[in-house]
Amino acid sequence: MSYQSYLDNIQAKTGKTPEQLKDTAEKAGVYRRDMKATDLINYLVKEFDLGRGHAMAIWKYFKDHNWVDTK
């Protein structure tokens, strides 16, 4: 499955774009620039019933858009 397919499937399942998922994580108090991957993954698994692989695709999206510090 391609990265884009993961993103498409996530949107189909949750009804949310990665930007909207970021907004929900912010409102839930989960999102921080210095958050760890496990913080976001656990949130997405619990709140949206995403599989870990799909949650990791969102983490990659966050990293690719410089929404998190990865150092």
Side-chain angles (χ1 to χ4, degrees):
M1 181 180 298
S2 73
Y3 174 63
Q4 187 59 53
S5 294
Y6 270 89
L7 296 177
D8 293 343
N9 287 335
I10 291 164
Q11 187 167 352
K13 181 171 186 160
T14 66
K16 298 189 181 310
T17 65
E19 290 80 6
Q20 291 169 321
L21 290 171
K22 179 180 177 270
D23 290 342
T24 65
E26 278 185 284
K27 289 176 185 165
V30 174
Y31 172 77
R32 300 178 321 277
R33 282 207 48 87
D34 66 342
M35 72 189 304
K36 302 295 181 202
T38 55
D39 299 330
L40 181 64
I41 292 164
N42 291 339
Y43 169 73
L44 294 171
V45 167
K46 180 180 177 188
E47 293 299 316
F48 295 99
D49 196 32
L50 291 181
R52 296 191 84 70
H54 285 83
M56 282 299 298
I58 295 297
W59 176 253
K60 178 181 176 356
Y61 193 93
F62 275 41
K63 287 188 340 181
D64 290 349
H65 287 79
N66 296 313
W67 293 344
V68 290
D69 297 324
T70 57
K71 296 180 180 169

